[in-house]
Amino acid sequence: MRRILGFALLSILFSATVMAAQNSQTFYLATPARAGNIQLPRGIYEVTWSAPSKSRVTLTIKTEDEKTFKILSHVIEGKQDRTGVVTSVVDGVLYLQEIHTSNAKFILQNGIEASK
């Protein structure tokens, strides 16, 4: 009985870890950039998200020094051919526009329009 209980507990913990890993991604920002009203310095970040509500999701961005920021984004679910970030320069300011993970693309709601 103890073996079955132990196996069940281990199975549940492993499942939770796998599910959490599907909703997170690490990315590297080579230069400082803005995400909404947040200035992000150069560095390694971990972004996490919960299940989307329609096509909207709140991203939680955690810095190397454990600071966290939240930003709204539009999500397009589906397998992506590459992972990483997309940035753009608007009025001389570098903005983080998109975050691509292996199974979704997040378009950040920066409140700015990219120059064409």
Side-chain angles (χ1 to χ4, degrees), residues 29-35 38-43 45 87-88 93-96:
L29 199 55
T31 58
R34 293 190 65 80
I38 304 161
Q39 180 65 40
L40 299 173
R42 176 181 161 211
Y45 293 87
T87 58
S88 66
V93 178
L94 184 71
Y95 283 91
L96 182 61

Side-chain angles (χ1 to χ4, degrees), residues 22-23 49-57 74-80 101-107:
Q22 291 176 348
N23 289 341
W49 59 93
S50 57
S53 171
K54 298 190 181 185
S55 64
R56 302 275 183 206
V57 68
H74 174 79
V75 62
I76 301 171
E77 295 186 274
K79 185 159 176 60
Q80 303 295 311
T101 68
S102 59
N103 58 1
K105 174 170 49 172
F106 299 95
I107 302 167

Side-chain angles (χ1 to χ4, degrees), residues 29-88:
L29 199 55
T31 58
R34 293 190 65 80
N37 294 328
I38 304 161
Q39 180 65 40
L40 299 173
R42 176 181 161 211
I44 299 171
Y45 293 87
E46 180 181 357
V47 62
T48 57
W49 59 93
S50 57
S53 171
K54 298 190 181 185
S55 64
R56 302 275 183 206
V57 68
T58 300
L59 300 177
T60 302
I61 300 173
K62 186 191 299 185
T63 65
E64 290 175 292
D65 59 355
E66 303 294 320
K67 291 181 184 174
T68 58
F69 304 99
K70 293 184 185 273
I71 189 162
L72 290 175
S73 73
H74 174 79
V75 62
I76 301 171
E77 295 186 274
K79 185 159 176 60
Q80 303 295 311
D81 58 346
R82 60 180 80 122
T83 61
V85 297
V86 175
T87 58
S88 66

